[in-house]
Amino acid sequence: MREEVNGENVEVSREAIAALAAQAACKVDGVIGCQQKTVDSITSRVKREFVHQGVKLEKEDDSYRLSIYLRVRYGVNIPILAQEVRAKVKEDVEGLTQEEVKEVEIVIEDIESTAAS
């Protein structure tokens, strides 16, 4: 993303946008972290898709399409969690970058039990 502010060019990298999205997702209760499984990560590289910190980023016209790969806590209501993550990611990325987020896809990669051994 490149924008002119006070006569200066400001550019926000795809890495920064992906990092913002990952941070926003991790703020939602029940999310343990963002990660993409190793096999999927290798496949993304072969397909030349941009994936950073568990966030796949695609630019379409003047908006972004994001796929967020999550590890979540066992017992959370996944549909409600997904809705909260979508809203938080869209709000944070659009609010901080002034870029439109067209779609946020949620992919649950792992469910982690918090039971003590």
Side-chain angles (χ1 to χ4, degrees):
M1 173 192 108
R2 185 177 296 239
E3 192 170 312
E4 191 167 313
V5 178
N6 296 331
E8 299 289 325
N9 282 329
V10 176
E11 185 172 350
V12 179
S13 70
R14 296 181 305 176
E15 290 88 351
I17 292 171
L20 284 171
Q23 289 171 10
C26 289
K27 290 178 186 175
V28 175
D29 187 42
V31 173
I32 294 171
C34 293
Q35 74 175 36
Q36 189 178 28
K37 290 185 179 175
T38 305
V39 172
D40 294 333
S41 180
I42 292 168
T43 302
S44 291
R45 287 185 191 139
V46 170
K47 291 181 179 179
R48 298 188 185 275
E49 295 173 332
F50 181 78
V51 180
H52 181 70
Q53 294 186 352
V55 178
K56 183 169 82 172
L57 190 72
E58 298 175 54
K59 178 100 170 157
E60 289 185 357
D61 301 321
D62 291 332
S63 64
Y64 284 96
R65 175 174 263 135
L66 306 172
S67 296
I68 315 287
Y69 296 84
L70 300 176
R71 273 188 5 248
V72 299
R73 188 178 67 241
Y74 177 80
V76 299
N77 183 312
I78 292 175
I80 290 173
L81 176 89
Q83 183 179 10
E84 290 174 1
V85 171
R86 274 189 201 98
K88 183 67 175 158
V89 167
K90 185 173 173 61
E91 175 187 335
D92 283 13
V93 171
E94 287 183 344
L96 294 170
T97 67
Q98 304 300 304
E99 287 287 323
E100 179 187 0
V101 175
K102 184 175 186 176
E103 181 182 343
V104 179
E105 175 188 30
I106 305 300
V107 181
I108 306 300
E109 285 287 311
D110 195 14
I111 298 173
E112 199 168 294
S113 175
T114 56
S117 301

